[in-house]
Amino acid sequence: MTSRYRFLWRRLMQIKINYKAVPRPLFKVTQNISLPCSLGFSLLTLIGLEKKLNAEDELILTIKHCVLFIQRCEYDKAEQLLHVALKQAQQMQHQSGITYIYDVMANLALEREQYDKAKQLFIAVSQRIMADGATEDDLRVIHMSIKLARISHMKKEYTTAQLGYDWCLEKLNSAILRNPSEENKMLLAMAEDWYGRLFLDCNKYELGFNYMQSAYNRMTSFTDIDKEHLVVQLNDLGTVCDRIGKIDESIDYFTKAIDLGKQIPDMPDLGVFYVNLGRAYIKKNMFDIARKSCGHAWRLGVMMKNNNVKHEAELCIKEIKDNS
Protein backbone atom coordinates (compact mmCIF):
# COMPACT_ATOMS: atom_id res chain seq x y z
CA MET A 1 0.00 0.00 0.00
CA THR A 2 1.48 3.34 -1.03
CA SER A 3 1.73 6.33 1.28
CA ARG A 4 -1.34 7.96 -0.28
CA TYR A 5 -3.38 5.02 1.02
CA ARG A 6 -2.26 5.28 4.63
CA PHE A 7 -5.16 4.90 6.96
CA LEU A 8 -6.50 8.36 7.55
CA TRP A 9 -8.74 7.14 10.36
CA ARG A 10 -5.56 6.44 12.37
CA ARG A 11 -5.39 10.11 13.35
CA LEU A 12 -9.12 10.66 13.73
CA MET A 13 -10.26 7.94 16.10
CA GLN A 14 -9.72 9.64 19.41
CA ILE A 15 -11.92 8.74 22.38
CA LYS A 16 -11.51 11.60 24.82
CA ILE A 17 -11.46 10.70 28.50
CA ASN A 18 -10.12 12.23 31.67
CA TYR A 19 -7.56 10.48 33.79
CA LYS A 20 -9.13 9.50 37.11
CA ALA A 21 -7.79 7.66 40.12
CA VAL A 22 -10.07 4.69 39.63
CA PRO A 23 -9.19 1.10 38.64
CA ARG A 24 -9.94 1.18 34.95
CA PRO A 25 -8.04 1.05 31.67
CA LEU A 26 -6.92 4.40 30.34
CA PHE A 27 -9.05 3.97 27.22
CA LYS A 28 -6.13 5.66 25.55
CA VAL A 29 -6.54 6.44 21.90
CA THR A 30 -4.05 8.96 20.55
CA GLN A 31 -5.22 11.26 17.79
CA ASN A 32 -2.29 13.47 16.93
CA ILE A 33 0.65 11.10 16.75
CA SER A 34 3.38 11.57 14.23
CA LEU A 35 1.97 9.65 11.30
CA PRO A 36 0.87 10.91 7.88
CA CYS A 37 -2.02 13.29 8.29
CA SER A 38 -5.54 12.70 7.06
CA LEU A 39 -4.68 12.52 3.38
CA GLY A 40 -5.18 8.78 3.07
CA PHE A 41 -7.23 7.60 0.11
CA SER A 42 -6.22 10.82 -1.61
CA LEU A 43 -8.29 11.91 -4.56
CA LEU A 44 -5.02 12.76 -6.30
CA THR A 45 -4.94 9.29 -7.84
CA LEU A 46 -8.68 8.78 -8.03
CA ILE A 47 -9.30 11.86 -10.18
CA GLY A 48 -6.11 11.42 -12.17
CA LEU A 49 -4.63 14.80 -11.34
CA GLU A 50 -1.05 13.62 -11.66
CA LYS A 51 -1.74 12.27 -15.13
CA LYS A 52 -3.23 15.57 -16.27
CA LEU A 53 -0.46 17.84 -15.05
CA ASN A 54 3.25 17.77 -15.66
CA ALA A 55 5.17 16.75 -12.54
CA GLU A 56 7.01 20.09 -12.60
CA ASP A 57 3.89 22.15 -12.98
CA GLU A 58 3.65 25.08 -10.56
CA LEU A 59 0.28 23.91 -9.26
CA ILE A 60 1.56 20.41 -8.48
CA LEU A 61 4.58 21.87 -6.68
CA THR A 62 2.36 24.15 -4.62
CA ILE A 63 0.09 21.27 -3.64
CA LYS A 64 3.07 19.12 -2.68
CA HIS A 65 4.29 21.89 -0.41
CA CYS A 66 0.81 22.03 1.18
CA VAL A 67 0.90 18.31 1.87
CA LEU A 68 4.40 18.64 3.33
CA PHE A 69 3.23 21.33 5.75
CA ILE A 70 0.32 19.14 6.80
CA GLN A 71 2.60 16.18 7.41
CA ARG A 72 4.70 18.44 9.64
CA CYS A 73 1.51 19.58 11.43
CA GLU A 74 2.17 23.17 10.33
CA TYR A 75 -1.50 23.67 9.68
CA ASP A 76 -1.63 27.47 9.40
CA LYS A 77 1.07 27.47 6.73
CA ALA A 78 -0.70 24.63 4.92
CA GLU A 79 -4.01 26.46 4.89
CA GLN A 80 -2.47 29.68 3.60
CA LEU A 81 -0.71 27.83 0.80
CA LEU A 82 -3.84 25.85 -0.06
CA HIS A 83 -5.63 29.12 -0.82
CA VAL A 84 -2.74 30.06 -3.10
CA ALA A 85 -3.04 26.67 -4.83
CA LEU A 86 -6.79 27.09 -5.17
CA LYS A 87 -6.34 30.49 -6.82
CA GLN A 88 -3.81 28.97 -9.22
CA ALA A 89 -6.19 26.14 -10.13
CA GLN A 90 -9.09 28.55 -10.62
CA GLN A 91 -7.02 30.80 -12.87
CA MET A 92 -6.07 27.75 -14.92
CA GLN A 93 -9.72 26.60 -14.85
CA HIS A 94 -8.35 23.21 -13.89
CA GLN A 95 -11.49 21.57 -12.49
CA SER A 96 -9.91 18.36 -11.21
CA GLY A 97 -7.19 20.40 -9.51
CA ILE A 98 -9.83 22.52 -7.79
CA THR A 99 -11.62 19.37 -6.63
CA TYR A 100 -8.45 17.90 -5.22
CA ILE A 101 -7.55 21.09 -3.35
CA TYR A 102 -11.04 21.20 -1.83
CA ASP A 103 -10.49 17.62 -0.70
CA VAL A 104 -7.19 18.49 0.97
CA MET A 105 -8.81 21.52 2.60
CA ALA A 106 -11.64 19.31 3.87
CA ASN A 107 -9.24 16.77 5.35
CA LEU A 108 -7.23 19.53 6.97
CA ALA A 109 -10.37 20.99 8.53
CA LEU A 110 -11.30 17.53 9.82
CA GLU A 111 -7.78 17.13 11.20
CA ARG A 112 -8.18 20.42 13.06
CA GLU A 113 -11.65 19.47 14.34
CA GLN A 114 -13.26 22.27 12.34
CA TYR A 115 -16.26 20.11 11.68
CA ASP A 116 -18.69 22.58 10.10
CA LYS A 117 -16.03 23.75 7.68
CA ALA A 118 -15.00 20.17 6.89
CA LYS A 119 -18.62 19.19 6.25
CA GLN A 120 -19.16 22.01 3.77
CA LEU A 121 -15.98 21.15 1.91
CA PHE A 122 -16.67 17.41 1.73
CA ILE A 123 -20.15 18.14 0.41
CA ALA A 124 -18.61 20.44 -2.19
CA VAL A 125 -16.16 17.71 -3.24
CA SER A 126 -19.00 15.18 -3.52
CA GLN A 127 -21.06 17.55 -5.62
CA ARG A 128 -18.16 18.28 -7.94
CA ILE A 129 -17.25 14.64 -8.60
CA MET A 130 -20.91 13.71 -9.09
CA ALA A 131 -21.33 16.62 -11.53
CA ASP A 132 -18.38 15.09 -13.37
CA GLY A 133 -20.29 11.84 -13.79
CA ALA A 134 -19.71 9.85 -10.59
CA THR A 135 -22.65 7.88 -9.18
CA GLU A 136 -23.48 7.20 -5.56
CA ASP A 137 -21.78 3.80 -5.91
CA ASP A 138 -18.50 5.47 -6.85
CA LEU A 139 -15.71 4.77 -4.38
CA ARG A 140 -14.99 8.49 -4.09
CA VAL A 141 -18.58 9.33 -3.19
CA ILE A 142 -18.69 6.59 -0.56
CA HIS A 143 -15.38 7.84 0.80
CA MET A 144 -16.79 11.36 1.24
CA SER A 145 -19.93 9.91 2.84
CA ILE A 146 -17.90 8.02 5.43
CA LYS A 147 -16.16 11.23 6.41
CA LEU A 148 -19.47 13.08 6.62
CA ALA A 149 -20.79 10.35 8.93
CA ARG A 150 -17.66 10.74 11.04
CA ILE A 151 -18.26 14.48 11.29
CA SER A 152 -21.84 13.88 12.46
CA HIS A 153 -20.44 11.48 15.06
CA MET A 154 -17.94 14.05 16.31
CA LYS A 155 -20.73 16.63 16.54
CA LYS A 156 -22.73 14.11 18.63
CA GLU A 157 -25.39 13.84 15.94
CA TYR A 158 -25.52 10.12 16.54
CA THR A 159 -28.70 9.27 14.64
CA THR A 160 -27.45 11.04 11.51
CA ALA A 161 -24.05 9.39 11.88
CA GLN A 162 -25.59 5.93 12.20
CA LEU A 163 -27.70 6.43 9.08
CA GLY A 164 -24.61 7.53 7.21
CA TYR A 165 -22.50 4.58 8.33
CA ASP A 166 -25.28 2.11 7.54
CA TRP A 167 -25.56 3.51 4.01
CA CYS A 168 -21.78 3.40 3.49
CA LEU A 169 -21.44 -0.16 4.79
CA GLU A 170 -24.23 -1.35 2.51
CA LYS A 171 -22.56 0.26 -0.50
CA LEU A 172 -19.10 -1.02 0.42
CA ASN A 173 -20.22 -4.59 1.01
CA SER A 174 -21.89 -4.56 -2.39
CA ALA A 175 -18.78 -3.04 -3.96
CA ILE A 176 -16.57 -5.76 -2.49
CA LEU A 177 -18.82 -8.44 -3.93
CA ARG A 178 -18.24 -6.89 -7.35
CA ASN A 179 -14.61 -5.99 -6.82
CA PRO A 180 -12.78 -7.31 -3.74
CA SER A 181 -9.92 -4.83 -4.21
CA GLU A 182 -7.75 -3.75 -1.32
CA GLU A 183 -8.95 -0.16 -1.72
CA ASN A 184 -12.55 -1.25 -1.17
CA LYS A 185 -11.56 -3.38 1.81
CA MET A 186 -9.59 -0.49 3.31
CA LEU A 187 -12.59 1.80 3.13
CA LEU A 188 -14.78 -0.90 4.68
CA ALA A 189 -12.32 -1.36 7.54
CA MET A 190 -12.23 2.39 8.14
CA ALA A 191 -16.03 2.61 8.15
CA GLU A 192 -16.37 -0.37 10.51
CA ASP A 193 -13.79 1.04 12.90
CA TRP A 194 -15.42 4.46 13.05
CA TYR A 195 -18.89 2.90 13.33
CA GLY A 196 -17.71 0.79 16.24
CA ARG A 197 -16.45 3.88 18.04
CA LEU A 198 -19.82 5.52 17.53
CA PHE A 199 -21.44 2.64 19.40
CA LEU A 200 -18.88 2.99 22.19
CA ASP A 201 -19.89 6.62 22.60
CA CYS A 202 -23.50 5.43 22.83
CA ASN A 203 -22.52 2.89 25.56
CA LYS A 204 -23.24 -0.04 23.25
CA TYR A 205 -19.93 -1.74 23.94
CA GLU A 206 -20.68 -5.22 22.61
CA LEU A 207 -21.84 -3.86 19.26
CA GLY A 208 -18.95 -1.43 19.10
CA PHE A 209 -16.47 -4.20 19.86
CA ASN A 210 -17.84 -6.38 17.06
CA TYR A 211 -17.33 -3.65 14.46
CA MET A 212 -13.87 -2.73 15.74
CA GLN A 213 -12.79 -6.37 15.82
CA SER A 214 -13.99 -6.85 12.25
CA ALA A 215 -12.03 -3.75 11.21
CA TYR A 216 -8.90 -5.04 12.96
CA ASN A 217 -9.18 -8.43 11.28
CA ARG A 218 -9.37 -6.72 7.90
CA MET A 219 -6.38 -4.51 8.71
CA THR A 220 -4.15 -7.49 9.41
CA SER A 221 -4.79 -8.82 5.91
CA PHE A 222 -3.56 -5.72 4.10
CA THR A 223 -0.26 -5.90 2.30
CA ASP A 224 1.21 -2.87 4.06
CA ILE A 225 -0.06 -1.31 7.24
CA ASP A 226 1.66 0.68 9.95
CA LYS A 227 2.34 -1.50 12.99
CA GLU A 228 1.60 1.47 15.21
CA HIS A 229 -1.97 1.51 13.95
CA LEU A 230 -2.43 -2.16 14.77
CA VAL A 231 -0.92 -1.66 18.23
CA VAL A 232 -3.37 1.10 19.13
CA GLN A 233 -6.25 -0.95 17.73
CA LEU A 234 -5.26 -3.93 19.89
CA ASN A 235 -5.15 -1.73 22.97
CA ASP A 236 -8.58 -0.31 22.19
CA LEU A 237 -10.04 -3.78 21.72
CA GLY A 238 -8.55 -4.79 25.07
CA THR A 239 -10.06 -1.73 26.69
CA VAL A 240 -13.53 -2.51 25.34
CA CYS A 241 -13.22 -6.12 26.53
CA ASP A 242 -12.37 -4.81 29.98
CA ARG A 243 -15.43 -2.58 29.94
CA ILE A 244 -17.74 -5.49 29.15
CA GLY A 245 -16.14 -7.81 31.70
CA LYS A 246 -14.14 -10.03 29.37
CA ILE A 247 -10.96 -9.70 31.41
CA ASP A 248 -9.10 -12.69 29.98
CA GLU A 249 -9.69 -11.40 26.45
CA SER A 250 -8.58 -7.92 27.46
CA ILE A 251 -5.33 -9.34 28.86
CA ASP A 252 -4.77 -11.14 25.58
CA TYR A 253 -5.28 -7.95 23.55
CA PHE A 254 -3.10 -5.82 25.85
CA THR A 255 -0.35 -8.43 25.73
CA LYS A 256 -0.46 -8.52 21.93
CA ALA A 257 -0.36 -4.71 21.86
CA ILE A 258 2.75 -4.72 24.05
CA ASP A 259 4.49 -7.46 22.08
CA LEU A 260 3.91 -5.62 18.81
CA GLY A 261 4.64 -2.24 20.35
CA LYS A 262 8.08 -3.40 21.44
CA GLN A 263 8.96 -3.78 17.77
CA ILE A 264 8.36 -0.06 17.17
CA PRO A 265 11.21 2.27 18.17
CA ASP A 266 10.12 4.84 20.78
CA MET A 267 6.50 3.69 20.72
CA PRO A 268 4.83 6.62 22.52
CA ASP A 269 1.93 4.71 24.09
CA LEU A 270 3.74 1.58 25.24
CA GLY A 271 3.54 2.65 28.87
CA VAL A 272 -0.23 3.05 28.51
CA PHE A 273 -0.55 -0.55 27.41
CA TYR A 274 1.43 -1.77 30.43
CA VAL A 275 -0.82 0.19 32.80
CA ASN A 276 -3.91 -1.24 31.13
CA LEU A 277 -2.49 -4.75 31.40
CA GLY A 278 -1.64 -4.18 35.06
CA ARG A 279 -5.16 -3.02 35.84
CA ALA A 280 -6.62 -6.04 34.09
CA TYR A 281 -4.48 -8.32 36.25
CA ILE A 282 -5.63 -6.45 39.37
CA LYS A 283 -9.20 -7.42 38.51
CA LYS A 284 -8.11 -11.06 38.53
CA ASN A 285 -6.29 -10.54 41.87
CA MET A 286 -3.01 -11.42 40.20
CA PHE A 287 -1.12 -8.72 42.06
CA ASP A 288 2.46 -9.86 41.45
CA ILE A 289 2.05 -9.74 37.67
CA ALA A 290 0.10 -6.50 37.95
CA ARG A 291 2.88 -4.92 40.03
CA LYS A 292 5.47 -5.93 37.46
CA SER A 293 3.43 -4.49 34.59
CA CYS A 294 2.65 -1.18 36.32
CA GLY A 295 6.25 -0.88 37.50
CA HIS A 296 7.44 -1.23 33.93
CA ALA A 297 4.90 1.39 32.87
CA TRP A 298 6.27 3.77 35.54
CA ARG A 299 9.81 3.34 34.26
CA LEU A 300 8.67 3.99 30.70
CA GLY A 301 6.82 7.09 31.86
CA VAL A 302 9.98 8.42 33.48
CA MET A 303 12.21 7.53 30.52
CA MET A 304 9.85 9.07 27.96
CA LYS A 305 8.96 12.03 30.19
CA ASN A 306 5.29 11.11 29.98
CA ASN A 307 3.80 12.41 33.22
CA ASN A 308 0.33 10.99 32.47
CA VAL A 309 1.66 7.45 32.18
CA LYS A 310 3.88 7.93 35.23
CA HIS A 311 0.93 9.19 37.27
CA GLU A 312 -1.39 6.38 36.16
CA ALA A 313 1.30 3.80 36.94
CA GLU A 314 1.68 5.25 40.42
CA LEU A 315 -2.07 4.99 40.96
CA CYS A 316 -1.98 1.42 39.75
CA ILE A 317 0.87 0.54 42.16
CA LYS A 318 -0.97 2.22 45.05
CA GLU A 319 -4.09 0.22 44.28
CA ILE A 320 -2.08 -2.99 44.35
CA LYS A 321 -0.66 -2.08 47.78
CA ASP A 322 -4.12 -1.26 49.10
CA ASN A 323 -5.59 -4.57 47.96
CA SER A 324 -2.79 -7.10 48.36
Side-chain angles (χ1 to χ4, degrees), residues 158-191:
Y158 297 137
T159 300
T160 301
Q162 184 171 354
L163 289 171
Y165 284 131
D166 282 336
W167 184 87
C168 292
L169 289 176
E170 179 183 353
K171 293 295 182 182
L172 284 169
N173 280 306
S174 297
I176 287 174
L177 288 176
R178 298 190 304 270
N179 176 21
S181 67
E182 188 156 289
E183 288 84 355
N184 285 340
K185 292 178 180 178
M186 283 187 230
L187 272 181
L188 180 57
M190 184 174 74

Side-chain angles (χ1 to χ4, degrees), residues 99-314:
T99 302
Y100 175 65
I101 293 166
Y102 279 152
D103 182 55
V104 177
M105 285 179 165
N107 281 295
L108 178 58
L110 185 55
E111 179 81 10
R112 303 181 80 176
E113 301 182 3
Q114 299 170 344
Y115 297 126
D116 289 334
K117 180 178 180 180
K119 179 179 179 179
Q120 292 175 355
L121 286 165
F122 282 130
I123 290 174
V125 174
S126 298
Q127 290 172 339
R128 289 180 65 86
I129 61 178
M130 292 187 79
D132 200 36
T135 67
E136 66 176 21
D137 294 321
D138 191 292
L139 186 66
R140 297 166 296 173
V141 175
I142 299 170
H143 179 203
M144 297 297 108
S145 298
I146 296 171
K147 291 176 180 177
L148 288 169
R150 176 65 176 178
I151 290 169
S152 294
H153 175 190
M154 292 294 94
K155 294 179 68 176
K156 302 187 186 303
E157 299 169 354
Y158 297 137
T159 300
T160 301
Q162 184 171 354
L163 289 171
Y165 284 131
D166 282 336
W167 184 87
C168 292
L169 289 176
E170 179 183 353
K171 293 295 182 182
L172 284 169
N173 280 306
S174 297
I176 287 174
L177 288 176
R178 298 190 304 270
N179 176 21
S181 67
E182 188 156 289
E183 288 84 355
N184 285 340
K185 292 178 180 178
M186 283 187 230
L187 272 181
L188 180 57
M190 184 174 74
E192 287 179 333
D193 184 38
W194 283 356
Y195 201 11
R197 293 171 193 279
L198 169 65
F199 284 119
L200 297 187
D201 284 350
C202 297
N203 297 318
K204 297 179 180 180
Y205 292 105
E206 290 274 7
L207 196 53
F209 174 80
N210 291 338
Y211 277 105
M212 290 174 64
Q213 186 182 49
S214 178
Y216 170 76
N217 290 337
R218 293 184 196 281
M219 293 174 208
T220 59
S221 70
F222 298 147
T223 55
D224 180 21
I225 182 169
D226 294 323
K227 286 183 179 179
E228 195 166 350
H229 186 102
L230 293 177
V231 168
V232 173
Q233 194 79 359
L234 284 166
N235 175 72
D236 294 350
L237 288 168
T239 302
V240 179
C241 284
D242 184 279
R243 287 288 181 94
I244 59 182
K246 296 181 178 180
I247 307 304
D248 288 334
E249 290 185 34
S250 74
I251 289 173
D252 183 53
Y253 280 118
F254 291 142
T255 301
K256 288 179 179 178
I258 289 169
D259 290 343
L260 188 57
K262 288 178 180 178
Q263 301 175 28
I264 303 172
D266 301 320
M267 175 68 198
D269 291 331
L270 190 58
V272 170
F273 310 150
Y274 273 107
V275 171
N276 285 350
L277 180 62
R279 284 182 168 150
Y281 277 122
I282 289 173
K283 291 186 177 182
K284 292 183 67 69
N285 296 320
M286 300 173 69
F287 297 115
D288 288 340
I289 303 177
R291 185 180 296 107
K292 181 179 178 181
S293 183
C294 291
H296 195 75
W298 184 86
R299 289 190 292 275
L300 285 172
V302 172
M303 290 171 55
M304 303 184 75
K305 297 181 180 180
N306 189 324
N307 290 328
N308 283 332
V309 170
K310 180 174 174 288
H311 176 65
E312 289 294 319
E314 289 169 351

